[in-house]
Amino acid sequence: MTVLDTAGAAPASADPPGPAPPFVVVGTPGDRRVTMFAEALRTRGLPGPLVVPWRDVLAGAELRIPERAYVRVDSPGEDTEADVLLRGPGDPTRVGGGASWHAAFVRGLERVRRAVARTPGARLLGDVGEIAVMFDKRRAHARLGAAGVPVPPALPAPITGYSGLRESMARAGWSRVFVKPAHGSSASGILALQVSGQRISAVSSVELVRGRGDARPDGLELHNSLRVRTYTDEADLAAIIDRLAPDGLHVERWFPKASSGGRVFDLRVVVIGGLPTHAVVRASHVPMTNLHLGGVRGDIERVRARLGADGWQRAMGVCARAAACFPGSLMVGVDLMVGVTWRRFAVAEVNAFGDLLPRLTGLPDAGAAGLDCYAAQVDHILAARSAA
């Protein structure tokens, strides 16, 4: 794997021999996403990709792409330097700054698009405009809904703070909602909020810190935590939501999810080239099923058996329809919720970088059996090239 010198052309030795075009990944050198994609190339006898570091893209360095290259845009990952360029200086664990992050991210995507457009024969493996939409939950939700993809109903924007949220919930007659930062990912800043009479509670991975030495003038900080906690103090909830609201909030009605093995679950389904190829059950004792928050991989065969052949086919059909809303994207990760009756489905999220699922091989009936998500994508690219 070669890191591309963005101040000049890639070295001649980096060009792969033979007719296969080179691959380029816009990502973070050493990140698991980059190394796993590189391994998928090498197992097919191809050289590893050239890597254009996100920090160079965001810092305004000149971008040079090899001619005829396939260019994959991947996540900035956990690169501290890239995070500063996206959100500004501060503790990397802090929650917030999503609006600044998204604006800088979109500018970076546009720089990549222009670099590819001016390079003879180079092509993007994912539409950068679609990536930008997938990182705006409000726009993605609207696009899915307009296409008839089942999604939970959402409160009209904007939600300017806690009091406005409670008023909008009362008007809608909703007592349970998911409050999501519009540009968040990995459940950062999400609250599963419930109101019952005078009682209120919210489950979240947000850690509210008061009065720490480097705290803001109001004495409050929000940080991501691997420990999910429950807030029952309305003042705490108001402080969290008021802090998140300026960056934009997307609020959906709570969709009660089915349980399997004593845990609620949803499905992360990876759709490659329009076909659902990989699926993992994400199960948890808390409303957020993310694996890094204590969720576990459930039994996919148990879920398939419970849904039955028809139910499974309908579930995968919903995922394919969701991905079809982003036709320029080779891969879309779809988070599919199964209702408590096992008869209804709703899409919770669509993910531009939803393929980081180590050790997960393809569904047996989807043409990707035995392949991880990255190998399946490489095979799809090579097959499409051969067909062309």
Side-chain angles (χ1 to χ4, degrees), residues 65 85 103 109 145 161 170 174 195 206 254 285 287 294-296 298 322 331 338 365 368 383:
I65 304 295
L85 293 167
L109 291 173
W174 297 353
V195 179
V206 171
W254 191 312
H285 292 300
V296 299
M331 184 282 305
V338 180
D365 50 355

Side-chain angles (χ1 to χ4, degrees), residues 7-85:
S13 60
D15 290 335
F23 281 81
V24 173
V25 175
V26 180
T28 295
D31 184 86
R32 283 193 301 167
R33 300 172 184 275
V34 175
T35 58
M36 291 174 71
F37 186 74
E39 181 61 23
L41 291 173
R42 283 193 289 268
T43 59
R44 274 129 187 87
L46 299 172
L50 303 174
V51 181
V52 176
W54 259 110
R55 63 178 77 103
D56 289 355
V57 175
L58 298 167
E62 184 179 2
L63 306 181
R64 301 269 184 95
I65 304 295
E67 292 187 6
R68 301 171 51 246
Y70 287 115
V71 181
R72 170 184 170 90
V73 177
D74 218 323
S75 169
E78 299 178 359
D79 182 5
T80 302
E81 186 176 345
D83 185 66
V84 170
L85 293 167

Side-chain angles (χ1 to χ4, degrees), residues 186-213:
S186 301
S188 175
I190 289 181
L191 297 98
L193 178 67
Q194 303 184 67
V195 179
S196 178
Q198 298 301 311
R199 296 191 303 275
I200 187 167
S201 68
V203 178
S204 179
S205 62
V206 171
E207 180 184 8
L208 176 62
V209 179
R210 296 182 183 274
R212 203 162 69 176

Side-chain angles (χ1 to χ4, degrees), residues 71-73 105 109-110 112-113 123-135 139 143 325-332 352-353:
V71 181
R72 170 184 170 90
V73 177
F105 182 62
L109 291 173
E110 177 58 20
V112 172
R113 187 199 65 77
R123 71 224 79 176
L124 282 162
L125 294 175
D127 183 271
V128 296
E130 293 180 1
I131 294 173
V133 171
M134 282 187 267
F135 272 93
R139 294 176 64 195
R143 180 176 291 197
C325 294
F326 304 92
S329 298
L330 168 66
M331 184 282 305
V332 178
F353 307 136

